[in-house]
Amino acid sequence: MSTTARKAGFGSVLWDYLTTVDHKKIAILYLIGGFFFFILGGLEAMLIRIQLIVPDNDFLSAQFYNEVLTMHGTTMIFLAAMPLLFALMNIAVPLQIGARDVAFPFVNSLGFWLFFFGGVMLNVSWFVTGAPDAGWTSYAPLSIFSEGHGVDFYSIGLQIAGFGTLMAGINFIVTIVNMRAPGMTYMRMPLFTWTTLIASVLILFAFPALTVGLFQLTFDRLFGANFFNPELGGNAIIWEHLFWIFGHPEVYILILPAFGVFSEVIPTFAKKRLFGYSSMVFATVLIAFFGFMVWAHHMFTVGLGPIANSIFAVATMAIAVPTGIKIFNWLFTLWGGSIRLTSPMVFALGFIPTFTIGGMTGVMLASAAADYQYHDSYFVVAHFHYVIVGGTVLGIFAGLIYWWPKMFGTLLNEKLNHWFFWLFFIGFHLTFFFQHFLGLMGMPRRYWVFGEGQGLDTFNFISTIGAFLMAVGTIVFVYNMVMTQVKGKKVSGDPWDARTLEWAIPSPPPFYNFKQLPLVRGLDPLWIEKTEGNGKMQPAEPLGDIHMPNNSFVPFVMSLGLFIAGFGVMFQGSYWFLAAIGFGLFFGSMIYRSFKDDLGYHIHKEDLEDEKGDGSNG
Amino acid sequence: MADNTNSTSEKQQFYRKKHKEEMKHHVLTFVMMIAFTLIAFGLVMADVSAMFTIPIILIMAAVQVAFQLYYFMHLNQEGHEMPALMIYSGIFAAFLTILALTTIVWW
């Protein structure tokens, strides 16, 4: 019965992954997709830094630089950071709450394929009429006047990927609200599950603003609408508002799960319960709440007036308070702990000072009056790379290394992980620390060259060297991932001596996760059993049949349909037939799915009894 | 055994009473909603000044939505705290968006 025991050919493995609805396999898909786009976005970053290594460089043309810059931002936010976080959520959350899968496995798969095809759509633009070139924010009216189809690829590609994200968010909310194991109350949930829940709520409420904005952009560009055209009664500022009503919660969607990862890693390797658990939860919720009231701090120089600016400035500074609570809680968790400097822990320790610097420049930028000086300079670039790379990316890598055993059953080489960390960390600070000064010296962001003899040469040169160090670090990590999988040395279910439920089952877990749902007796349930029980989770139910969902190819076809339809809508004229085919596939799959009774199957009790082990660690 | 039947009938009585009360609420809110609708139409047909009519209609609409959610979609019953929380968060986010787009953009 065990599916892992069978040695499968390449074709059947591929088919398995194309049709899978298992959250663990979808996590691997998100990881592969996200990492691919991470490398792509990294290459674009390298092009930017090479262009800026010396003054008046002509390595890239101005137009191509705009495209590379736009695609770097868009790729890293939407196609690298988000899916990599979804990879972590997918592998960890159902296991942490003691569930057998997410609430809607089919929707989970659909979410991934929509993201994937949205990302491919965006990147097809490189080969067709040129990539989007209006910045990752695509402000109107620049985005309206941008020639070629670049911005159309942006609006339609992100629309498709955005649908996927929205679905994933809803799925996690329902999963966490409804599928917690017996005894797992809200205040016993691991912090990563909490931050996933809150980030999903943010997705649910923030992404519709992007959906609306992107539709308006699409209709303005392709169908002669005039939402952003002041001459015909439109208003270009609508886009900025809609984009940032989405965009500011988006940065919390990126950072909160990373906070969650560190809140798992630090207690595990300090061998201490998380300090101030309830204040951590409170701070997370508070950050999410404030996150919706600060978007206009991206628009201080738009001319909203002093009153609006002051309100948003004060609200923005207020966010520093819950964030500060979190920083101190991590420090107090470390205090007096017996610390093991494993690589996830080193990432966590590197994160704390880095993110604090990013938060500090954030408060500087929040002062509306001072922001007139910082606005659109490299100071802003330095700030958001400190919080996104120093927070989210370090968090993603810490989580990836930490949960790698749960995904693949192997352990990444610790020595190479440390090499990766130090190369990446030193490279990162070299790249971005000096950009603070470049910004204060007046270097504007997004410019494709800087002039000679303005005192900008040295810092730009250092910045580029740092970028190369980050690239070398990433290559070390990719090598590590590949070599670890080639060697394939299996580890136990709990290689880190960790505290939460996911470590109570083998690595990788059986496809049904828990043979019997575990009984949760408190926060850090596995640790409670280790210290007060026999080290194994006690079952909360007798052994019984397990209901499992069937694999399905429909999500892939649906997403492919939207992908094809996107081209038809974009090129119009004789290409309308593509839209017909695409939407036909899309709605056809929907109808097929609606009328077919897919009730899944049961793993029978007798087969479960035959499987080795008791479903728990050991 | 006798004890058992006794408690069952008590239970039945309890539920009957509860259902009766629920029915009363349903009918009451339904009547009020119809009344509100009639008032709204009446105000417009009677040509009362718009400055008065518009706020009244909006308030009555809000009350009607609340009636719908609480009495007809059972938000007033136990176990609906999470949906209620999500609905209010959504209203909060939507309210901020609409407030921003109406005041800052068109003020």
Side-chain angles (χ1 to χ4, degrees):
Chain A
M1 190 61 206
S2 169
T3 47
T4 45
R6 240 184 291 126
K7 191 79 185 163
F10 176 75
S12 73
V13 172
L14 183 70
W15 180 249
D16 188 27
Y17 274 88
L18 287 179
T19 59
T20 187
V21 294
D22 180 356
H23 72 98
K24 299 176 287 295
K25 284 180 179 159
I26 291 174
I28 293 172
L29 288 174
Y30 267 120
L31 173 64
I32 295 169
F35 217 89
F36 170 75
F37 286 119
F38 179 74
I39 301 285
L40 207 61
L43 288 174
E44 284 150 8
M46 295 313 293
L47 292 179
I48 294 173
R49 280 324 311 172
I50 294 171
Q51 166 67 14
L52 295 175
I53 192 168
V54 288
D56 296 318
N57 201 357
D58 58 356
F59 176 69
L60 303 179
S61 73
Q63 171 62 23
F64 192 57
Y65 182 86
N66 287 345
E67 293 175 12
V68 168
L69 184 93
T70 302
M71 285 302 282
H72 166 69
T74 314
T75 304
M76 282 303 197
I77 297 278
F78 291 103
L79 309 180
M82 302 267 315
L84 285 171
L85 288 173
F86 278 134
L88 298 181
M89 291 177 187
N90 263 305
I91 191 64
V93 169
L95 300 180
Q96 279 193 330
I97 61 174
R100 294 215 169 91
D101 204 325
V102 290
F104 307 117
F106 179 89
V107 174
N108 201 14
S109 158
L110 183 60
F112 168 76
W113 288 111
L114 284 172
F115 141 70
F116 178 78
F117 279 109
V120 172
M121 177 113 199
L122 261 173
N123 281 284
V124 166
S125 64
W126 288 113
F127 310 103
V128 186
T129 78
D133 55 359
W136 88 279
T137 53
S138 271
Y139 277 1
L142 177 64
S143 55
I144 303 296
F145 296 127
S146 166
E147 281 166 17
H149 279 293
V151 177
D152 300 330
F153 276 105
Y154 171 94
S155 59
I156 295 174
L158 280 191
Q159 192 71 272
I160 296 172
F163 288 153
T165 309
L166 203 46
M167 282 179 200
I170 293 170
N171 207 349
F172 279 114
I173 295 174
V174 180
T175 306
I176 295 170
V177 171
N178 288 327
M179 295 179 68
R180 283 166 290 130
M184 172 79 72
T185 60
Y186 279 110
M187 291 312 275
R188 286 177 182 176
M189 290 195 317
L191 237 275
F192 183 69
T193 302
W194 255 113
T195 52
T196 300
L197 174 64
I198 301 298
S200 303
V201 172
L202 287 178
I203 288 173
L204 178 62
F205 294 138
F207 265 75
L210 179 73
T211 308
V212 171
L214 286 174
F215 268 129
Q216 292 182 339
L217 183 61
T218 313
F219 275 78
D220 263 21
R221 283 183 58 92
L222 294 174
F223 300 106
N226 290 290
F227 292 109
F228 308 132
N229 183 358
E231 283 163 27
L232 289 163
N235 192 325
I237 299 299
I238 298 173
W239 167 264
E240 278 185 50
H241 276 294
L242 285 176
F243 187 84
W244 287 118
I245 286 171
F246 146 76
H248 201 81
E250 164 74 10
V251 302
Y252 294 118
I253 295 166
L254 293 178
I255 197 62
L256 286 178
F259 284 171
V261 171
F262 294 124
S263 305
E264 300 293 310
V265 166
I266 291 175
T268 299
F269 297 112
K271 224 170 185 177
K272 257 180 80 183
R273 192 193 136 120
L274 185 68
F275 187 93
Y277 171 84
S278 42
S279 70
M280 280 298 222
V281 172
F282 172 70
T284 309
V285 176
L286 202 61
I287 290 174
F289 179 70
F290 279 139
F292 274 100
M293 297 188 287
V294 297
W295 77 89
H297 67 213
H298 299 267
M299 303 165 60
F300 279 152
T301 59
V302 162
L304 302 176
I307 295 173
N309 275 6
S310 311
I311 293 169
F312 283 104
V314 172
T316 306
M317 289 179 198
I319 293 188
V321 177
T323 317
I325 293 175
K326 281 179 169 279
I327 298 276
F328 282 112
N329 278 335
W330 288 316
L331 292 177
F332 285 132
T333 309
L334 291 167
W335 187 280
S338 74
I339 294 172
R340 280 179 290 159
L341 286 178
T342 57
S343 48
M345 187 60 162
V346 174
F347 273 94
L349 295 179
F351 150 80
I352 294 175
T354 312
F355 191 82
T356 308
I357 295 173
M360 194 195 66
T361 53
V363 176
M364 289 170 75
L365 286 162
S367 338
D371 184 67
Y372 275 80
Q373 190 64 36
Y374 307 132
H375 188 80
D376 259 355
S377 75
Y378 261 78
F379 191 82
V380 178
V381 177
H383 158 72
F384 69 68
H385 280 94
Y386 259 78
V387 283
I388 293 181
V389 182
T392 308
V393 175
L394 290 184
I396 286 169
F397 286 131
L400 197 52
I401 297 168
Y402 182 63
W403 281 306
W404 187 271
K406 273 299 144 206
M407 288 176 121
F408 298 101
T410 56
L411 203 55
L412 290 168
N413 184 323
E414 273 293 280
K415 206 172 177 182
L416 287 175
N417 280 339
H418 279 90
W419 268 102
F420 166 49
F421 171 77
W422 286 110
L423 284 167
F424 193 84
F425 189 69
I426 293 170
F428 164 75
H429 280 282
L430 277 182
T431 312
F432 294 108
F433 191 72
F434 297 99
Q435 291 188 0
H436 290 117
F437 303 113
L438 284 173
L440 294 177
M441 290 152 97
M443 183 168 165
R445 67 191 274 207
R446 297 198 174 111
Y447 279 30
W448 73 297
V449 286
F450 61 94
E452 209 170 350
Q454 296 176 327
L456 305 173
D457 307 18
T458 321
F459 286 160
N460 269 308
F461 182 74
I462 295 174
S463 199
T464 303
I465 299 303
F468 274 100
L469 279 184
M470 290 168 88
V472 173
T474 310
I475 291 167
V476 170
F477 189 60
V478 172
Y479 172 79
N480 192 2
M481 289 197 288
V482 173
M483 286 315 288
T484 305
Q485 284 321 100
V486 169
K487 281 183 193 151
K489 193 166 164 285
K490 297 291 173 198
V491 289
S492 76
D494 182 18
W496 303 113
D497 191 18
R499 314 170 70 86
T500 41
L501 263 185
E502 73 267 35
W503 305 104
I505 50 174
S507 303
F511 62 102
Y512 47 80
N513 292 354
F514 296 89
K515 198 176 278 184
Q516 292 161 285
L517 291 185
L519 180 68
V520 176
R521 298 202 287 159
L523 181 64
D524 294 342
L526 183 60
W527 193 253
I528 291 177
E529 300 302 335
K530 278 179 184 173
T531 50
E532 294 166 17
N534 63 356
K536 290 176 183 172
M537 295 306 300
Q538 299 306 311
E541 57 170 17
L543 191 61
D545 290 2
I546 297 177
H547 183 219
M548 297 294 290
N550 282 328
N551 280 4
S552 174
F553 192 51
V554 177
F556 184 92
V557 178
M558 276 176 95
S559 314
L560 183 69
L562 277 187
F563 176 74
I564 295 170
F567 286 96
V569 170
M570 194 182 308
F571 292 104
Q572 305 182 355
S574 57
Y575 289 97
W576 274 118
F577 78 95
L578 281 178
I581 295 173
F583 284 123
L585 272 178
F586 179 70
F587 289 111
S589 318
M590 263 187 180
I591 292 167
Y592 169 77
R593 168 75 186 173
S594 307
F595 282 97
K596 186 169 171 274
D597 282 330
D598 188 355
L599 301 173
Y601 64 98
H602 283 87
I603 311 169
H604 294 292
K605 199 171 141 187
E606 296 73 29
D607 297 319
L608 285 170
E609 278 163 350
D610 289 345
E611 296 238 332
K612 277 202 209 102
D614 54 359
S616 68
N617 177 41
Chain B
M1 189 65 196
D3 214 32
N4 211 354
T5 26
N6 196 16
S7 81
T8 325
S9 75
E10 254 175 43
K11 215 185 223 171
Q12 272 176 346
Q13 255 178 354
F14 172 75
Y15 276 115
R16 203 169 291 152
K17 204 177 151 204
K18 208 175 167 189
H19 285 154
K20 206 176 162 190
E21 205 146 286
E22 224 167 74
M23 195 59 185
K24 202 174 84 190
H25 285 150
H26 273 140
V27 172
L28 206 67
T29 46
F30 187 60
V31 169
M32 282 172 80
M33 280 158 73
I34 290 178
F36 284 177
T37 313
L38 290 178
I39 294 170
F41 274 94
L43 280 175
V44 177
M45 286 197 291
D47 271 333
V48 184
S49 96
M51 281 299 282
F52 180 74
T53 312
I54 291 170
I56 292 290
I57 289 180
L58 285 177
I59 290 169
M60 287 195 303
V63 175
Q64 285 203 23
V65 169
F67 277 164
Q68 273 284 351
L69 288 175
Y70 275 85
Y71 289 99
F72 287 90
M73 296 174 81
H74 305 294
L75 214 56
N76 56 348
Q77 291 173 3
E78 263 174 54
H80 287 69
E81 295 82 10
M82 191 49 114
L85 179 69
M86 297 299 283
I87 288 171
Y88 288 123
S89 318
I91 290 173
F92 168 69
F95 174 74
L96 277 181
T97 310
I98 292 165
L99 187 73
L101 290 179
T102 47
T103 58
I104 301 180
V105 178
W106 285 293
W107 194 265

